[in-house]
Amino acid sequence: MGNDALVSKLREHLGKDAVLTDTDVTASYSRDMMPLAPVGTPLAVVLPSDVEGVQAVVRACAEARVPIVPRGAGSGLSGAANAIDGCVVLVLTKLDQIVEIDEGNRLAVVQPGVVNLDFRNAVEKHGLFYPPDPSSYDWCTIGGNLSTNAGGLCCVKYGVTTDSVLGLEIVLADGSLLKTGRRTVKGVAGYDLAKLFVGSEGTLGVITQATVALKPLPQAPSTLVAGFNSTEAAGEAVARVVREGLVPSLLEIMDATSIKAAETYLKTDLGAGSDCQALLLAQSDSGAEVAQRELAVLEQICTDCGADLVYATDDLAEGNMLLQARRVVLTALEQYGIWLTDDVCVPRTRIAELIHGCQRVSEEVGLRIAVVGHAGDGNMHPTIVYSPGNEDEFARAQKAFDAILEIGLSLGGTVTGEHGVGKIKREWLAKEIGPIGMRVHRQIKQALDPENLFNPGSMFSMTDL
């Protein structure tokens, strides 16, 4: 089947308006938010509105041997949803129904095109809570969250996306629909196939529906902020929190560069002082006296570790204002140029070493690097700033990006905590998991997608030696 015949067949199945071929239009669906990742020109962009449409696209592309790149909203930061030349980009945003909210069993059934924040708001009306909260939660979709195993600020207490997944429906490479997982709290029948597809970045199949577990709606959070005159002191405070068994609902860290950027952007003084090298932000959503006790212990730990500032509040508006400084960091850095954000996860006892390593890299490449991250689970986001259109600075930013990954691995960490491998960290995945791990990955891919139909070249290549 030629390209023209494939496009005609896709239009026959989906309707003319759901198959886009104008390059000016398809370009907007061709890449995510990662500037380092390569991008190609797709043959077409398709927007099916139901699972039957997805199956029809997969079958038609399989017959024509044309690769498929699944895509959500495009908020990713690894290039996993980037088009390759001649592919069909399969956009899932029109599968946007919340199929069911089961209050009694605390679960929901949701399609991949539902926006994370919309879903959270919908279940909140039933007194329930969907924990995964990526920073882009106001526009990223559930399908993208599933495909990259997204995290967020609440991971320290509630885990990442996979920890909320009970079951999935997936269109496989032959167009058949796999239903895997369960609706029960427990279940160990067979391989845990649902978990296999979470985080697979569209390389094994197309997720068309998910059954997810919900939590009771937590209490309004109480908030604590602590400023330290050394990164080591802040790192020791994090380690103490872990050792003493505290599980706050949020525990974030900001380095001096990110603090200054946020203060300048918000036109406010966070109260940390000019010598502040690190800021910890913590929340407890346990409510009432329990939250007060948790924050009291946190406050004592921070004081014992030498914090110059420790402030706690149970006022929701004030807490949101304090947390805003953390949420606006990436936007604040745009005051200085374009940003390139990395994603490494290290043991929580080695956060300070990573921050210092990033400072060394910043000096070596001559570019601003700000470090913020989820201190509670060790997932850091060093962010490199460079001037738009400056090829020399962009090259130095790329060098810094790789140097930070090397530091993360040397500290016993992983090259991605939540953004995924995509098309920018393929060689780093190989370094991290080794040749036997790569062999197993390829064997799984070969078994489920023998024609290498889904997102070829993303995460890893089938032909690397």
Side-chain angles (χ1 to χ4, degrees), residues 178-203:
L178 170 66
K179 297 183 180 182
T180 186
R182 62 195 191 279
R183 290 173 64 101
T184 55
V185 175
K186 295 175 66 179
V188 294
Y191 295 140
D192 193 347
L193 296 180
K195 302 294 187 184
L196 174 63
F197 285 90
V198 177
S200 63
E201 300 182 18
T203 61

Side-chain angles (χ1 to χ4, degrees), residues 253-306:
I253 191 168
M254 300 170 62
D255 74 346
T257 303
S258 57
I259 293 167
K260 290 182 177 63
E263 287 182 331
T264 302
Y265 177 77
L266 294 172
K267 296 181 173 60
T268 186
D269 184 348
L270 298 178
S274 59
D275 294 330
C276 183
Q277 296 301 304
L279 198 69
L280 287 183
L281 290 157
Q283 286 189 330
S284 171
D285 62 5
S286 299
E289 295 179 2
V290 177
Q292 290 178 10
R293 288 198 298 270
E294 286 182 349
L295 289 193
V297 176
L298 278 166
E299 185 172 351
Q300 187 62 55
I301 288 172
C302 291
T303 301
D304 291 346
C305 291

Side-chain angles (χ1 to χ4, degrees), residues 29 69-75 81 89-93 112-113 139-144 147:
Y29 292 95
V69 177
R71 174 190 169 89
S75 64
V89 175
L90 175 54
V91 184
L92 295 156
T93 51
W139 66 291
C140 66
T141 55
I142 297 296
S147 293

Side-chain angles (χ1 to χ4, degrees), residues 91-168:
V91 184
L92 295 156
T93 51
K94 286 190 175 181
L95 277 76
D96 59 358
Q97 299 301 306
I98 299 173
V99 178
E100 178 188 1
I101 298 174
D102 183 342
E103 297 177 48
N105 289 300
R106 293 213 300 259
L107 62 82
V109 179
V110 61
Q111 291 186 323
V114 175
V115 172
N116 182 291
L117 182 58
D118 292 343
F119 181 48
R120 288 163 63 90
N121 288 339
V123 301
E124 184 176 330
K125 294 175 183 176
H126 297 265
L128 298 169
F129 172 54
Y130 180 65
D133 67 333
S135 295
S136 57
Y137 72 148
D138 56 345
W139 66 291
C140 66
T141 55
I142 297 296
N145 296 170
L146 292 163
S147 293
T148 59
N149 198 11
L153 274 64
C154 294
C155 293
V156 58
K157 183 172 183 177
Y158 296 107
V160 294
T161 296
T162 191
D163 297 304
S164 294
V165 174
L166 295 173
L168 296 175

Side-chain angles (χ1 to χ4, degrees), residues 422-437:
K423 296 178 175 68
I424 60 166
K425 294 183 180 178
R426 296 192 312 175
E427 69 274 21
W428 291 99
L429 174 67
K431 286 182 181 181
E432 180 172 330
I433 70 173
I436 295 175

Side-chain angles (χ1 to χ4, degrees), residues 293-359:
R293 288 198 298 270
E294 286 182 349
L295 289 193
V297 176
L298 278 166
E299 185 172 351
Q300 187 62 55
I301 288 172
C302 291
T303 301
D304 291 346
C305 291
D308 296 319
L309 159 78
V310 183
Y311 178 73
T313 178
D314 58 6
D315 182 272
L316 183 59
E318 190 176 20
N320 287 338
M321 182 182 68
L322 292 170
L323 194 58
Q324 186 186 21
R326 164 64 181 91
R327 291 193 181 276
V328 303
V329 168
L330 291 182
T331 303
L333 290 172
E334 292 175 0
Q335 301 169 106
Y336 311 114
I338 296 174
W339 52 258
L340 172 63
T341 191
D342 216 326
D343 166 45
V344 293
C345 192
V346 297
R348 289 168 290 189
T349 54
R350 310 199 74 174
I351 290 172
E353 293 174 75
L354 177 69
I355 293 175
H356 281 305
C358 292
Q359 291 171 347

